[in-house]
Amino acid sequence: MSVVCFKESLHSHNGYDIHMIVTKPFQTQKKVCIILLHGTCSDMNEAGNAYVYLSRQLADHGYASIRFDFIGCGSSDVDYIHYTYKSAISDTNEIIEYAKKLGYDEICLLGWSQGAAIAFLSANEDVSSVIALAPAADMRIMIHKEDYEYAKENGYVWYDPGFKASVRLSLEWFEDVLNTDVLDIYSKKNLPTLAIHGLHDTIVDPNYSRMSVDASAHPNSRVIYMDECDHVFNVLTHGYDYFKIVSQEIIQWLNEVYDKKR
């Protein structure tokens, strides 16, 4: 299937530009848009350009997608110190509004790692399903007390993501994380949820995928564990060998959910 892919910028209500890429089938397409939310300090293309690959696979099966850079990430010209749960939710909500204006009746949020937590928190009345890849559903246990204390004294702490230059995590980010029970909030939304997790993930506990699906309490929710896969489904070591399977599972689940809704 031929694919249309174009760049777009949205001037947000908060006064900065959100940069995105829209990918969709050239002709026949479903009225469903998948919004792809990247993880901590990543960008709209995600690790190993996995979101580039996924967006094309989705388009080949009739699904449009929008991937974008959160504030402080990728092509954003705002400092990462301004990234918080609140800013990420605001960015996501603006992309949801944009997708609705493009004429998409159904919105699915697909988040990876911290992006999955943002998907859970951003799911509003316009969102009809959520997909979580290696969901960091509770980042409170990942916070070191000494970092939080330093941030309280200085307003931020330097964070080294390991794959790019260090960034500043703000005190507001710490307080957002510490005061937000993501799965408790999500449990009130009753949305079909697909969670996929590598069993060799050493960054986010694979049990969070089961907890995320249990929180959804929806009959179409499902958890899939990928044996031998790490936090990024081995895209940095094996290319798309394993991520092809992840993509196939995503598309199959989307077909099941949205075929039932017709």
Side-chain angles (χ1 to χ4, degrees):
M1 183 181 291
S2 298
V3 173
V4 176
C5 189
F6 61 90
K7 294 181 179 180
E8 186 64 272
S9 291
L10 176 69
H11 193 67
S12 77
H13 303 318
N14 296 317
Y16 52 82
D17 290 335
I18 302 174
H19 303 288
M20 71 186 87
I21 293 179
V22 180
T23 306
K24 60 182 183 178
F26 180 68
Q27 292 180 322
T28 304
Q29 58 182 302
K30 307 172 191 292
K31 287 294 186 180
V32 184
C33 184
I34 320 302
I35 298 177
L36 309 178
L37 314 182
H38 66 75
T40 304
C41 293
S42 189
D43 59 42
M44 70 171 78
N45 295 331
E46 257 302 347
N49 289 326
Y51 274 177
V52 179
Y53 175 83
L54 177 58
S55 65
R56 293 184 176 276
Q57 294 300 306
L58 290 167
D60 282 344
H61 290 81
Y63 294 101
S65 66
I66 300 175
R67 62 187 193 271
F68 68 99
D69 288 324
F70 281 118
I71 185 173
C73 300
S75 56
S76 171
D77 57 5
V78 182
D79 192 289
Y80 192 81
I81 196 172
H82 298 293
Y83 177 95
T84 63
Y85 273 8
K86 293 182 182 70
S87 76
I89 293 167
S90 177
D91 289 351
T92 303
N93 286 337
E94 297 220 36
I95 300 297
I96 292 171
E97 290 178 16
Y98 176 81
K100 297 292 285 186
K101 289 177 181 177
L102 291 181
Y104 293 104
D105 300 326
E106 306 276 5
I107 304 294
C108 170
L109 297 181
L110 186 156
W112 199 327
S113 195
Q114 185 174 201
I118 302 305
F120 294 146
L121 295 172
S122 301
N124 57 29
E125 63 278 1
D126 290 321
V127 174
S128 53
S129 68
V130 173
I131 299 172
L133 303 183
D138 189 346
M139 296 189 66
R140 293 174 295 184
I141 65 169
M142 301 178 188
I143 289 180
H144 299 295
K145 182 179 179 181
E146 57 271 23
D147 289 337
Y148 180 45
E149 293 300 324
Y150 184 93
K152 285 197 289 186
E153 289 185 15
N154 299 280
Y156 67 89
V157 65
W158 284 103
Y159 169 69
D160 180 5
F163 56 87
K164 61 180 289 186
S166 295
V167 298
R168 294 184 295 171
L169 288 178
S170 70
L171 175 60
E172 186 178 355
W173 178 85
F174 281 95
E175 293 181 339
D176 272 0
V177 171
L178 290 170
N179 294 309
T180 305
D181 188 331
V182 174
L183 292 184
D184 180 64
I185 292 171
Y186 190 58
S187 68
K188 299 173 175 60
K189 300 183 180 183
N190 192 34
L191 291 173
T193 305
L194 173 66
I196 307 179
H197 217 127
L199 286 175
H200 287 192
D201 189 341
T202 59
I203 297 175
V204 175
D205 188 339
N207 286 322
Y208 280 135
S209 278
R210 169 55 62 190
M211 294 165 63
S212 299
V213 166
D214 288 347
S216 77
H218 193 283
N220 289 336
S221 294
R222 181 187 312 161
V223 60
I224 297 172
Y225 287 115
M226 300 283 292
D227 195 16
E228 301 181 0
C229 283
D230 59 16
H231 187 61
V232 295
F233 302 98
N234 302 352
V235 297
L236 299 180
T237 55
H238 293 76
Y240 300 135
D241 289 352
Y242 293 91
F243 198 69
K244 285 180 182 177
I245 300 172
V246 173
S247 300
Q248 290 166 2
E249 294 286 1
I250 289 171
I251 291 164
Q252 179 179 329
W253 184 81
L254 286 169
N255 289 341
E256 292 173 3
V257 169
Y258 289 104
D259 284 348
K260 286 180 181 178
K261 296 188 67 157
R262 289 177 182 173

